[in-house]
Amino acid sequence: MSIRPMIKRMVYTNDIEIQSLAIGSIADIGDVYKASPNSRVLAVQKEGPAFEEDVFQFDDFSIFSLKNPPPPLPLNVETFTYQNNPIIIHNVRVVGVSTAGIFQTGGIDHIDALSYTKHFRILKDEP
């Protein structure tokens, strides 16, 4: 199986505004061969005013010990595309990119993103 490289194109961008980029995310302008954003998040909502630090560990939850399966092999599809014109982007406004997300103008050959999130609440007992 042969893997053909991505056909490069010019991307002209006038204005990009990204308000928030967080938790293992990527903002990229231009062509990229491979991007592998990843994140591990423990999201705890606790009822009450007391904050305790380092109470929970990733090892306490089995979801974080899961192994990421390898991505499937690319399909070999015979195609030919000729793009003579560049990509023109006038204005982009992004409110947020989060948790192993990607914002990109340009081309990308391979994406291998992984995000594990354990979200739970701790509520006070009702009297």
Side-chain angles (χ1 to χ4, degrees):
M1 176 186 337
S2 64
I3 300 173
R4 292 188 321 173
M6 172 180 56
I7 298 172
K8 309 293 184 201
R9 292 176 67 184
M10 292 299 296
V11 177
Y12 296 100
T13 306
N14 292 330
D15 184 51
I16 296 175
E17 175 189 346
I18 300 175
Q19 193 169 359
S20 175
L21 183 72
I23 310 175
S25 296
I26 298 171
D28 187 33
I29 299 172
D31 292 335
V32 172
Y33 175 72
K34 182 178 181 179
S36 300
N38 64 76
S39 69
R40 297 185 332 157
V41 177
L42 277 173
V44 181
Q45 288 182 305
K46 184 177 177 185
E47 187 176 32
F51 173 75
E52 299 174 49
E53 195 170 324
D54 298 329
V55 175
F56 303 103
Q57 304 297 318
F58 289 115
D59 294 336
D60 295 339
F61 303 96
S62 62
I63 188 173
F64 297 108
S65 63
L66 295 175
K67 300 298 178 202
N68 185 22
L73 294 173
L75 298 174
N76 190 12
V77 178
E78 294 296 325
T79 62
F80 177 78
T81 305
Y82 178 72
Q83 302 290 342
N84 193 27
N85 297 320
I87 299 170
I88 299 173
I89 301 171
H90 295 289
N91 299 300
V92 177
R93 181 174 177 267
V94 177
V95 174
V97 181
S98 182
T99 319
I102 300 174
F103 168 81
Q104 178 170 356
T105 60
I108 188 165
D109 279 337
H110 305 280
I111 299 174
D112 186 15
L114 178 64
S115 178
Y116 290 122
T117 301
K118 176 67 176 175
H119 187 179
F120 56 96
R121 296 178 181 171
I122 301 172
L123 303 175
K124 291 182 180 179
D125 291 330
E126 293 290 330

